[in-house]
């Protein structure tokens, strides 16, 4: 089957465009169509083995996290559309094969070409583009697998999803005691400190807490402390989804193991991953080390603290989340910026003063006020520098100063928010916070 390259005529998209047009700016709907079609037409590559390879945009590699988020909006369109369902299945099959190849890698090549972000990295697998271990790289394909099942009822992918879940369980349990059990090391000789791990590639020291360790953040920057709080909560949600799939096929052992680890991660994060802020009260830290160290910030990349209702099943009304949200969207967060063009969250991964469209979309998607959702969508529209595309980041005072002209993850987040504003997204199917 040929994969679809446009959804402009999809009934749900047409309805969404009409509802967005009612907001008084036809660019809102046109940008939705452009973002959805760009991913299908330009980032998806059908492979001879029946899978699909998905580039991030201007980087010719497939990230496990990015490819999952790039496909999430199409879950709203997949029911009744066999072509989109087959595309999603093809991407999932590719992801499961990549996890089986190396569960510590974050990005892969389409062929065993040996291409790499840095050929000098400690990795000689020609399929691997980069081997920065990030907890979310394993979590997002599991989230996509579960949500695909909820949206479509199909189970073609469940066997592969459960194999991937077992691999994730093994890694996440090993990394609960990183210092003594982990084989993982990462060293990069050239580049900034954020591109490598100290301590001979082991990362900064951590003490066991029950949380699972991550070498790198979703931004691909090195963790300052080894326990990334939003990634741990995202992993717990991914395990919940895996447990549900396992119960569906009567794999009681895997269901029990996944549910048990999810509970451990949540309990450990509640115990070790929260701190009391002098202004905002009890909030989630972004990273901790189990030795008393805690980093108070948020990063635009998902999973972020702001995105917890989207990716971690944390209710948007939860008091700790609400306090954390107030912190993240305030000057107390060192990555929050306010300028002449916009205000929002950025990342140490990009220049100071740059706001990320992904974070603006997340702010809208996690807001409980309709006006906030629409305002976030309008801000995304007027900060695209006239390109009709979302960028990685833009300067708070001048959107024409942006990073990454082609960044499919950001386009997907615009689509997610636009569909949500039009009340045609699929998130209510699995989101208990609404």
């Amino acid at each position: 089957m040929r994969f679809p390259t446009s959804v402009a005529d999809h009934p749900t998209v047409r309805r969404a465009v009409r509802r967005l047009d009612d907001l008084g700016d036809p660019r809102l709907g046109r940008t939705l169509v452009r973002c959805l079609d760009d991913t299908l037409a330009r980032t998806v590559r059908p492979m001879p083995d029946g899978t699909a390879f998905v580039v991030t945009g201007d980087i010719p590699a497939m990230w496990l996290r990015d490819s999952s988020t790039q496909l999430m909006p199409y879950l709203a369109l997949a029911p009744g559309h066999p072509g989109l369902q087959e595309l999603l299945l093809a991407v999932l099959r590719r992801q499961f094969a990549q996890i089986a190849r190396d569960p510590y890698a974050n990005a892969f090549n389409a062929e065993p070409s040996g291409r790499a972000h840095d050929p000098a990295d400690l990795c000689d697998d020609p399929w691997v583009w980069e081997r920065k271990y990030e907890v979310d790289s394993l979590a997002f394909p599991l989230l996509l697998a579960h949500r695909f099942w909820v949206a479509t009822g199909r189970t073609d992918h469940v066997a592969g999803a459960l194999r991937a879940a077992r691999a994730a369980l093994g890694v996440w349990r090993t990394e609960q005691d990183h210092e003594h059990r982990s084989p993982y090391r990462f060293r990069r000789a050239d580049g900034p400190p954020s591109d490598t791990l100290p301590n001979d590639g082991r990362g900064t020291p951590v003490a066991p807490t029950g949380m699972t360790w991550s070498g790198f953040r979703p931004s691909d920057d090195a963790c300052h402390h080894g326990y990334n709080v939003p990634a741990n909560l995202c992993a717990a949600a991914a395990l919940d989804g895996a447990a549900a799939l396992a119960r569906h096929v009567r794999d009681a052992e895997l269901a029990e193991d996944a549910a048990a680890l999810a509970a451990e991660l949540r309990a450990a994060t509640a115990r070790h991953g929260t701190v009391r802020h002098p202004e905002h009260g009890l909030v989630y830290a972004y990273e901790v080390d189990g030795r008393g160290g805690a980093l108070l910030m948020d990063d635009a990349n998902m999973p972020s603290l702001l995105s917890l209702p989207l990716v971690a099943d944390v209710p948007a009304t939860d008091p700790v989340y609400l306090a954390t949200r107030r912190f993240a969207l305030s000057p107390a967060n060192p990555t929050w910026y306010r300028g002449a063009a916009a205000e929002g969250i950025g990342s140490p991964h990009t220049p100071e003063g740059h706001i990320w469209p992904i974070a603006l979309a997340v702010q809208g998607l996690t807001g409980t006020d309709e006006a906030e959702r629409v305002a976030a969508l309008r801000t995304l529209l007027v900060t695209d520098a006239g390109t009709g595309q979302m960028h990685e980041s833009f300067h708070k005072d001048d959107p024409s100063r942006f990073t990454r002209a082609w960044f499919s993850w950001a386009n997907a987040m615009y689509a997610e928010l636009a569909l949500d504003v039009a009340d045609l997204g699929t998130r209510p199917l699995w989101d208990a916070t609404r």
Side-chain angles (χ1 to χ4, degrees), residues 251-340:
D251 188 337
E253 182 179 2
L254 179 58
E256 183 178 344
D257 287 349
L261 182 55
E264 286 179 38
L265 296 179
R266 286 196 178 95
T269 301
R271 186 166 59 252
H272 298 279
T274 55
V275 298
R276 191 160 294 279
H277 188 275
E279 179 182 356
H280 296 284
L282 189 67
V283 300
Y284 288 111
Y286 185 69
E287 290 170 0
V288 295
D289 61 8
R291 296 156 51 97
L295 177 61
L296 285 176
M297 60 163 275
D298 199 15
D299 193 291
N301 294 267
M302 292 196 300
S304 60
L305 295 173
L306 189 65
S307 72
L308 291 178
L310 298 179
V311 301
D313 295 336
V314 173
T317 55
D318 176 80
V320 179
Y321 171 73
L322 287 173
T324 305
R325 180 184 173 87
R326 288 190 293 269
F327 160 80
L329 296 174
S330 79
N333 174 14
T335 63
W336 182 86
Y337 304 109
R338 172 184 284 155

Side-chain angles (χ1 to χ4, degrees), residues 140-161:
F140 269 96
L142 296 180
L143 288 177
L144 180 62
H146 177 252
R147 293 176 180 186
F148 176 78
W149 173 56
V150 172
T152 68
R154 291 186 64 165
T155 57
D156 317 41
H157 65 303
V158 170

Side-chain angles (χ1 to χ4, degrees), residues 123-408:
C123 181
D124 56 5
D125 188 335
W127 287 94
V128 173
W129 170 271
E130 191 171 55
R131 198 172 189 260
K132 286 181 172 178
Y133 172 61
E134 303 161 7
V135 167
D136 61 273
S137 293
L138 296 172
F140 269 96
L142 296 180
L143 288 177
L144 180 62
H146 177 252
R147 293 176 180 186
F148 176 78
W149 173 56
V150 172
T152 68
R154 291 186 64 165
T155 57
D156 317 41
H157 65 303
V158 170
L162 297 187
R163 286 193 296 270
R166 290 187 182 91
L169 270 162
V171 171
W172 289 339
R173 285 216 175 271
T174 294
E175 297 300 338
Q176 285 180 299
D177 188 6
H178 174 72
E179 295 289 335
H180 298 103
R181 296 182 58 199
S182 177
Y184 179 76
R185 306 288 183 271
F186 187 92
R187 294 193 302 270
R188 181 169 287 169
D190 298 323
S194 61
D195 235 17
T196 190
L197 295 182
N199 193 22
D200 198 32
R202 296 173 178 268
T204 55
V206 293
T209 62
M211 300 171 72
T212 192
W213 177 91
S214 189
F216 292 85
R217 300 168 179 168
S219 64
D220 299 332
D221 289 346
C223 290
H224 184 68
H225 300 302
Y227 299 123
N228 184 277
V229 169
N232 269 262
L233 293 173
C234 181
L239 288 165
D240 286 341
L245 289 173
R247 284 192 290 270
H248 183 73
V249 297
R250 294 180 173 82
D251 188 337
E253 182 179 2
L254 179 58
E256 183 178 344
D257 287 349
L261 182 55
E264 286 179 38
L265 296 179
R266 286 196 178 95
T269 301
R271 186 166 59 252
H272 298 279
T274 55
V275 298
R276 191 160 294 279
H277 188 275
E279 179 182 356
H280 296 284
L282 189 67
V283 300
Y284 288 111
Y286 185 69
E287 290 170 0
V288 295
D289 61 8
R291 296 156 51 97
L295 177 61
L296 285 176
M297 60 163 275
D298 199 15
D299 193 291
N301 294 267
M302 292 196 300
S304 60
L305 295 173
L306 189 65
S307 72
L308 291 178
L310 298 179
V311 301
D313 295 336
V314 173
T317 55
D318 176 80
V320 179
Y321 171 73
L322 287 173
T324 305
R325 180 184 173 87
R326 288 190 293 269
F327 160 80
L329 296 174
S330 79
N333 174 14
T335 63
W336 182 86
Y337 304 109
R338 172 184 284 155
E343 62 182 54
I345 298 173
S347 170
H349 191 69
T350 48
E352 187 174 354
H354 278 61
I355 296 167
W356 282 52
I358 287 174
L360 291 172
V362 168
Q363 183 177 348
L365 285 162
T366 56
T368 56
D369 179 64
E370 178 69 17
E372 183 177 12
R373 295 159 67 206
V374 175
L377 194 64
R378 293 188 186 277
T379 299
L380 288 170
L381 189 68
V382 300
T383 56
D384 71 353
T387 65
Q389 300 269 4
M390 301 298 109
H391 304 126
E392 179 187 47
S393 71
F394 62 87
H395 193 272
K396 61 186 177 64
D397 297 317
D398 181 6
S400 68
R401 295 165 55 188
F402 58 79
T403 62
R404 296 191 69 176
W406 185 27
F407 190 37
S408 183

Side-chain angles (χ1 to χ4, degrees), residues 66-87:
D66 293 36
S67 58
S68 299
T69 56
Q70 286 168 255
L71 272 293
M72 287 286 185
Y74 303 97
L75 293 173
L77 316 178
H81 196 300
L84 285 175
Q85 292 180 24
E86 292 303 318
L87 169 59

Side-chain angles (χ1 to χ4, degrees), residues 88-99:
L88 287 157
L89 285 170
V91 173
L92 284 166
R93 287 195 296 268
R94 189 82 183 182
Q95 291 176 330
F96 300 155
Q98 290 167 337
I99 290 170

